[in-house]
Amino acid sequence: MPTFASQLNEQIRYEFSASQQYVAVAVYYDSQSLPGLAAHFYRQAVEERNHAMMMVQYLLDADKDVVTPGIDPPQTDFADPVAPVALALAQEKRVTDQINALAALARSEGDYSSEQFMQWFIKEQIEEVATMSDLLRVVERSQDHAMDIEDYLAREQLGEEGDDPTAPHPAGSGA
Ligand SMILES: [Fe+2]
Ligand SMILES: [Fe+2]
């Protein structure tokens, strides 16, 4: 039986993998001269890294082992500008399932502080899936007019994080 702490270590690996995948997506868009999409995914990459570091800090605070993980190589080749967003949406949906499973595991262990810790991530996943679904619709609709996507991103400030006082503290961020 995996424990909450061991599964959270697994999740740290998934979050770093997501971060690296978003770097790869951003670099792809930069190479296609789509700077708005590139900027969006560079930002997402930092957010995913922060998710990993929030989990690292939580385990440190709980006096549990933290294993800094290696990760699998990200996908770097894409058929067209729609493909990376479709991949990103699938990734966010997968993470939502993982986060929900972590909350359920914490509850089954009677570990209510860990269950509480997962609440912020549950809320975050709802936003990230919604944002990525919107973006997928826009890139699909604008397939032959990539500049329309760039205009959309410039207008919408998609997925911009304001200051969120309820966000867990990422390890090493000094805040
Ligand atoms: Fe994440
Ligand atoms: Fe995410």
Side-chain angles (χ1 to χ4, degrees):
M1 271 294 281
T3 63
F4 177 81
S6 69
Q7 277 305 106
L8 192 58
N9 268 293
E10 249 329 270
Q11 194 63 35
I12 290 169
R13 194 170 76 79
Y14 298 146
E15 300 291 336
F16 277 125
S17 299
S19 179
Q20 195 80 337
Q21 183 61 67
Y22 286 162
V23 170
V25 167
V27 167
Y28 163 80
Y29 283 129
D30 244 347
S31 76
Q32 302 291 308
S33 302
L34 293 167
L37 278 162
H40 178 69
F41 281 97
Y42 284 126
R43 251 192 335 264
Q44 293 309 117
V46 173
E47 279 189 26
E48 298 302 347
R49 181 183 185 281
N50 279 336
H51 295 166
M53 296 306 265
M54 289 167 182
M55 294 169 183
V56 167
Q57 185 65 57
Y58 183 78
L59 287 170
L60 286 170
D61 288 344
D63 206 20
K64 304 280 191 200
D65 287 340
V66 186
V67 184
T68 304
I71 56 170
D72 299 329
Q75 184 176 332
T76 54
D77 282 332
F78 301 99
D80 57 51
V82 176
V85 182
L87 178 141
L89 178 58
Q91 175 173 286
E92 292 299 343
K93 287 181 172 170
R94 198 164 58 240
V95 170
T96 296
D97 292 343
Q98 292 161 348
I99 295 289
N100 288 335
L102 272 161
L105 182 56
R107 182 178 297 190
S108 76
E109 292 179 1
D111 179 356
Y112 299 112
S113 44
S114 294
E115 186 188 350
Q116 166 108 26
F117 172 67
M118 296 315 298
Q119 295 306 312
W120 183 85
F121 293 93
I122 290 172
K123 181 189 67 145
E124 176 76 2
Q125 282 312 120
I126 292 170
E127 285 169 18
E128 294 203 347
V129 169
T131 303
M132 211 58 83
S133 301
D134 287 349
L135 186 58
L136 183 59
R137 267 191 295 277
V138 174
V139 291
E140 281 174 346
R141 199 194 307 141
S142 328
Q143 278 207 57
D144 306 316
H145 312 276
M147 289 321 286
D148 291 354
I149 312 167
E150 292 290 296
D151 292 344
Y152 171 79
L153 285 165
R155 259 196 332 269
E156 296 289 323
Q157 306 284 306
L158 262 199
E160 286 290 11
E161 299 273 285
D163 267 348
D164 178 355
T166 68
H169 177 72
S173 71

